[in-house]
Amino acid sequence: MALLEVKNVSRSFGGVQAVSDVSFEVNEGEIVGLIGPNGAGKTTVMNLISGLIKNDTGEIRFQGERITGLKPHTIARKGIARTFQIVKPFQGMTVRENVMMGALFRSDIKGLKGSAIKPIVDEALRLLELDSRADSPVEELNLAQRKHLELARAMAMGPKLLLLDEVMAGLNLREIERLMELVKKLNARGVTILVIEHVMKAVMGLSNRVLVMHHGSLIAQGPPEVISQDPKVIEAYLGKRRHKGLLKEAR
Ligand SMILES: Nc1ncnc2c1ncn2[C@@H]1O[C@H](COP(=O)(O)OP(=O)(O)OP(=O)(O)O)[C@@H](O)[C@H]1O
Ligand SMILES: [Mg+2]
């Protein structure tokens, strides 16, 4: 049984079919990439998995259990954590306090005192190399550090599955490489990862398997080296000027 099963899921907004009959699985231990041009439906898929929006058709299963229709916090407690395309830390709080917000979601420490939360928060800060910034106000973090904070907050939830929505966006090459190493480290610690990414070098370098969406549909899936040569995929990207040459860059 796959860790995550997405079966024939669709969702429209008004006249826009954002996600159209999409089916895929994510197996335990994998890093799966989700790519596609702007507006392809990637974030909507992530919103459906995390329960932020409801699907029109189909179902989503996590560890064999149907999670469609459950509330976002219930889904989070079952072990699915996510980051957001637009990073939004809690303003007026320190880095440590922000990470603590993630830890408070953990079902296994529900009702326990702060003393049980501290080691979890410390571990997440250490994993994402934020220990030296722990007591800084979040306003002082640069973009790369805010991305690390997003991941630390998600990790403090103790997830089995981590959904990453464009965590590399806006980072320079050195910051991207550092974050790729960290994502691999989280995966090596047993966290399964579904990653939406426009930075091809990152998604192709990280993923065991890549899913490609275009106009709401899944148009291809396979190993990165096969996907980057797939004519359907190249066509989907070349149709959008912004992505011209990105696939070539990844090779
Ligand atoms: N809440 C919403 N209300 C109305 N339309 C929406 C909503 N969310 C998404 N859409 C539309 O659904 C389509 C898919 O959007 P989505 O954000 O999933 O794309 P994406 O693949 O994540 O794109 P990007 O790479 O630009 O982030 C787009 O046409 C978008 O405008
Ligand atoms: Mg998106």
Side-chain angles (χ1 to χ4, degrees), residues 120-133:
I120 293 168
V121 173
D122 285 344
E123 169 75 353
L125 287 167
R126 196 186 55 75
L127 265 174
L128 276 304
E129 300 174 353
L130 283 170
D131 4 14
S132 65
R133 306 308 308 256

Side-chain angles (χ1 to χ4, degrees), residues 13 16 18 36-45 85 166 198:
F13 298 102
V16 179
N38 294 114
K42 307 178 297 294
T43 297
T44 304
V45 165
Q85 190 163 350
E166 294 202 35
H198 279 302

Side-chain angles (χ1 to χ4, degrees), residues 134-149:
D135 299 311
S136 306
V138 288
E139 290 81 357
E140 286 178 10
L141 298 186
N142 63 29
L143 181 65
Q145 291 165 332
R146 289 207 301 277
K147 303 273 190 173
H148 285 220
L149 172 59

Side-chain angles (χ1 to χ4, degrees), residues 40-212:
K42 307 178 297 294
T43 297
T44 304
V45 165
M46 223 163 247
N47 288 343
L48 288 164
I49 297 168
S50 55
L52 279 187
I53 58 171
K54 306 256 176 283
N55 49 320
D56 299 329
T57 67
E59 68 164 14
I60 301 173
R61 288 179 173 272
F62 182 62
Q63 298 186 296
E65 182 192 354
R66 194 184 155 104
I67 57 166
T68 16
L70 298 182
K71 296 243 160 57
H73 66 264
T74 309
I75 293 174
R77 287 218 166 89
K78 287 185 186 298
I80 302 181
R82 69 171 292 173
T83 64
F84 288 88
Q85 190 163 350
I86 313 285
V87 285
K88 39 182 178 186
F90 297 103
Q91 301 293 318
M93 288 184 176
T94 65
V95 170
R96 178 188 298 282
E97 286 163 346
N98 263 269
V99 175
M100 210 176 283
M101 299 306 282
L104 292 172
F105 261 112
R106 285 184 76 152
S107 55
D108 54 342
I109 55 168
K110 213 162 64 179
L112 290 185
K113 288 201 270 318
S115 57
I117 292 174
K118 188 166 183 305
I120 293 168
V121 173
D122 285 344
E123 169 75 353
L125 287 167
R126 196 186 55 75
L127 265 174
L128 276 304
E129 300 174 353
L130 283 170
D131 4 14
S132 65
R133 306 308 308 256
D135 299 311
S136 306
V138 288
E139 290 81 357
E140 286 178 10
L141 298 186
N142 63 29
L143 181 65
Q145 291 165 332
R146 289 207 301 277
K147 303 273 190 173
H148 285 220
L149 172 59
E150 276 282 298
L151 278 164
R153 194 169 66 187
M155 282 305 291
M157 294 168 69
K160 295 186 185 77
L161 175 64
L162 189 54
L163 310 174
L164 307 181
D165 195 353
E166 294 202 35
V167 283
M168 309 288 174
L171 303 187
N172 66 36
L173 193 59
R174 192 177 48 81
E175 291 166 338
I176 288 170
E177 281 169 356
R178 180 158 168 242
L179 197 46
M180 282 174 73
E181 287 315 309
L182 291 178
V183 170
K184 284 185 197 161
K185 191 163 89 178
L186 304 184
N187 179 246
R189 293 173 64 93
V191 182
T192 303
I193 297 172
L194 178 63
V195 51
I196 295 178
E197 198 52 68
H198 279 302
V199 179
M200 286 299 153
K201 182 180 154 46
V203 77
M204 295 299 181
L206 282 173
S207 308
N208 312 112
R209 207 150 56 79
V210 177
L211 312 169
V212 189

